[in-house]
Amino acid sequence: MTFPTIKLPARPLAIKRGTISTPFVYYFSIPVLLAIAVFMMVSEAPGILRDYTISQNPVFVDGRIDGSCKTRKAIFTTCEVDLSYEQGGQRYEKDVEIMFVDIHSGDYEAGLVVSGDHPELATITLGLDMLWNRVITLSIFTLLLGGGGLAMIFLLLRFWRVSGQLRNPAPLTVVPVEITAMDTKRNRLNVTYADRVSERKTKRVAFTRFERGQEPIIVGDAGSNVVALAVWHGDTSLPVLLDDRLERIEMTEQERAAALAPLQELAQSTDHASAASHAEPSKKGMSLARRAGVFVLVLLLLVGGIFGYWLWYVTSAPSQYNSPGMDINNMMPEALNRWGCDQLKSRFGNGNAPFGCTAADHISWK
């Protein structure tokens, strides 16, 4: 797609400071994300390591279990219990906390289990049933939070580096960019834009703030977003959005007038100033029927995927202790759950029953 453009002087040009902005949210989001990731690792990883050790040689014992499980946001479950038991002539008191993701209604049933090699290590059977669930949940949260924090650090360093490079004169290349968001705060226009329509199409996102009275040079639209003019400054990694009077570039008034002349001659009926003042570009949405169709398709794929995974678990899984499989089998209607447990029992009947197929003692097959 071709958009109107301008021609700048061929000599190296400098760009005024402050044209690449850093959103304030980056400065407090980075420590918050990293702190939460570290907190989750410190609070959950020792319990997972403890329960993994117990799972290598579990011994079921009698004792007191006092605690409860709470479910938040429908799927995030946290259990906090106090354990009291005797093993090898010695009495132990332990506090156990586990976190996992589960779709469950009603109460959980749990027994007390300790390590045969290290009797001071104790947990509840629910912790072992959900061991891989907990490992996956912790890994996902840590990667999302920690990875998000590290990614924001990388972007922050990129913003700072580009801002420093703009002070030195360099050749400028005019390119179109998509404006993805605009809002006005304290009489200053804040703009988020992305390199999606130029030949490079790096898809990198940048932020800028225009002074009072300044606006971007709107030259068209790319579907749901308007398109404005920006420049690549030398070999910097981010384009710089231009203002409608080219005051961001250090050049003479005559050069500015000559550069803007082609756009003035090609002025169309569309009011560019009005387009730039919208809080955000207009968006075209799908029709209601199409949205319903997409929703139904996604729902069918989700249900089909879950059902297919359940069939693989009960008929072909190499172990009965597959955390997602146990959870899905436990949620199945009674008839399907019974059939699934029968399939598992036919293959793993010599071992303990997995979660969803246990009898009242939490060990034997129902």
Side-chain angles (χ1 to χ4, degrees):
M1 185 178 297
T2 303
F3 298 97
T5 187
I6 59 176
K7 186 176 181 180
L8 298 174
R11 72 176 190 279
L13 298 170
I15 296 179
K16 293 183 178 180
R17 298 179 60 180
T19 52
I20 294 291
S21 304
T22 303
F24 181 72
V25 68
Y26 276 56
Y27 293 105
F28 69 85
S29 294
I30 291 174
V32 169
L33 290 176
L34 295 179
I36 295 176
V38 171
F39 172 78
M40 291 195 67
M41 283 295 298
V42 171
S43 61
E44 298 297 328
I48 291 176
L49 181 61
R50 175 203 64 217
D51 287 5
Y52 175 78
T53 302
I54 294 174
S55 70
Q56 301 306 297
N57 186 14
V59 176
F60 298 89
V61 299
D62 294 327
R64 181 180 63 82
I65 302 177
D66 185 16
S68 62
C69 295
K70 296 181 180 179
T71 300
R72 301 176 178 84
K73 304 297 182 182
I75 59 174
F76 299 105
T77 302
T78 301
C79 299
E80 298 179 359
V81 296
D82 297 325
L83 305 179
S84 178
Y85 62 97
E86 290 186 3
Q87 188 72 0
Q90 185 173 350
R91 187 164 188 82
Y92 297 92
E93 302 283 344
K94 299 292 180 179
D95 297 327
V96 172
E97 180 177 343
I98 62 175
M99 180 191 72
F100 54 90
V101 173
D102 188 25
I103 301 175
H104 181 83
S105 60
D107 297 332
Y108 287 100
E109 296 181 353
L112 198 158
V113 59
V114 302
S115 170
D117 302 318
H118 306 279
E120 71 278 5
L121 300 180
T123 187
I124 53 177
T125 52
L126 184 61
L128 299 186
D129 293 338
M130 296 294 183
L131 183 58
W132 286 110
N133 181 309
R134 295 161 60 195
V135 172
I136 294 172
T137 299
L138 179 60
S139 299
I140 290 175
F141 273 98
T142 303
L143 288 176
L144 289 178
L145 296 171
L150 294 176
M152 293 183 74
I153 290 176
F154 172 78
L155 294 176
L156 186 62
L157 294 176
R158 174 188 285 173
F159 297 149
W160 290 349
R161 182 170 181 269
V162 171
S163 295
Q165 291 173 324
L166 296 180
R167 304 172 187 174
N168 303 316
L172 302 184
T173 303
V174 182
V175 293
V177 294
E178 277 192 39
I179 293 182
T180 58
M182 290 191 289
D183 67 271
T184 303
K185 293 181 179 179
R186 299 178 182 176
N187 295 320
R188 300 181 69 184
L189 183 63
N190 300 289
V191 181
T192 304
Y193 58 98
D195 178 37
R196 296 175 181 168
V197 292
S198 70
E199 292 183 358
R200 298 189 187 185
K201 291 184 179 179
T202 62
K203 299 183 179 180
R204 293 172 183 167
V205 177
F207 310 88
T208 189
R209 297 185 183 92
F210 287 103
E211 298 297 332
R212 180 182 299 181
Q214 291 184 338
E215 298 171 349
I217 304 176
I218 305 296
V219 294
D221 67 82
S224 59
N225 295 321
V226 296
V227 175
L229 292 184
V231 291
W232 287 99
H233 177 271
D235 59 354
T236 54
S237 56
L238 291 174
V240 178
L241 195 62
L242 296 176
D243 65 285
D244 58 348
R245 293 188 290 241
L246 299 182
E247 294 176 342
R248 293 185 158 196
I249 304 175
E250 295 183 356
M251 56 185 185
T252 66
E253 291 299 328
Q254 291 78 9
E255 289 173 330
R256 291 191 180 98
L260 291 172
L263 291 183
Q264 295 173 352
E265 295 173 359
L266 295 173
Q268 302 172 353
S269 59
T270 304
D271 186 350
H272 292 168
S274 175
S277 65
H278 282 75
E280 61 182 48
S282 59
K283 297 185 178 181
K284 300 177 181 178
M286 294 187 296
S287 65
L288 182 60
R290 189 174 181 182
R291 290 179 182 178
V294 171
F295 174 77
V296 171
L297 178 60
V298 171
L299 185 61
L300 289 176
L301 290 174
L302 180 61
V303 173
I306 292 175
F307 189 77
Y309 189 91
W310 171 75
L311 281 177
W312 169 83
Y313 166 65
V314 299
T315 61
S316 306
S319 170
Q320 72 270 42
Y321 300 115
N322 177 286
S323 184
M326 291 188 296
D327 295 337
I328 296 172
N329 187 48
N330 184 58
M331 292 185 295
M332 284 293 176
E334 178 63 26
L336 292 178
N337 173 263
R338 176 67 65 178
W339 182 83
C341 290
D342 289 342
Q343 304 306 306
L344 291 169
K345 187 176 181 180
S346 67
R347 296 187 295 127
F348 307 109
N350 293 330
N352 293 335
F355 175 68
C357 293
T358 56
D361 60 1
H362 310 296
I363 301 175
S364 59
W365 297 81
K366 63 180 178 182

